[in-house]
Amino acid sequence: LLKGLFADGKLPGAEQLAAARSATEFALRSVADFRPAADAPDVFKQTSGSASQIAGNALKLLQGLPKDAKSVGSALDRLGAMIAELAVAPAPAAPSANDVGSNQPKTIEQAPLTANNAAVIIRRGDTLWQISRRTYGLGVRYTTIYIANEDKIINPDRIRPG
């Protein structure tokens, strides 16, 4: 978002810059605060720990910048390089056709369904802000709920019971 605002030498307005900074801070905080499950593979724990540290450093850099567009624009290359490190996470390699031992299709077993204590059933009068405060401790994180449920929530200002 920030990079797009400064494309072609443009300087964004105060509102555009504030919105892009906020969204970038929110995304970086989400990565920085991520903690893998206790039973996650060690490689995943190491990779996520490294990504968390990089995101935390990028977040500190962004939060330490003055609010004016010129300051943010001058630090954009450093910030962009830090964020680019997050995108370089190694992906698991898919088995090649030569690795397959037989021509039989592989059976993939799905994990059993379990009760989800994090699920919320919307009641009359509920708002995403209230649910976010109860779930995350901060109402501002209502966007997390909205983004995760965009297929179910048409308008975040009007959620329907059920």
Side-chain angles (χ1 to χ4, degrees), residues 9 19 21 45 71 74 82 99 103 111 135:
R21 277 182 74 137
K45 288 179 181 178
S71 298
S74 65
M82 294 174 91
D99 293 342
N103 290 335
T135 307

Side-chain angles (χ1 to χ4, degrees), residues 119-137:
V120 175
I121 297 175
I122 306 300
R123 292 179 297 242
R124 186 174 180 203
D126 278 349
T127 65
L128 290 181
W129 188 276
Q130 292 168 334
I131 295 167
S132 175
R133 267 200 350 224
R134 280 194 312 258
T135 307
Y136 299 118

Side-chain angles (χ1 to χ4, degrees), residues 35-79:
R35 299 294 175 259
D39 60 346
D42 288 338
V43 173
F44 182 74
K45 288 179 181 178
Q46 290 172 346
T47 304
S48 63
S50 173
S52 178
Q53 186 175 16
I54 293 168
N57 292 339
L59 182 62
K60 285 178 189 172
L61 172 66
L62 182 59
Q63 289 175 333
L65 293 174
K67 304 291 184 199
D68 67 295
K70 288 184 181 181
S71 298
V72 175
S74 65
L76 202 56
D77 288 336
R78 281 186 297 153
L79 186 62

Side-chain angles (χ1 to χ4, degrees), residues 7 16 20 25 28-29 37 39 63 65 69 108 115 121 145-146:
Q16 289 177 315
E25 285 181 19
L28 288 171
R29 189 180 324 277
D39 60 346
Q63 289 175 333
L65 293 174
I108 299 173
I121 297 175
I145 298 169
Y146 174 63

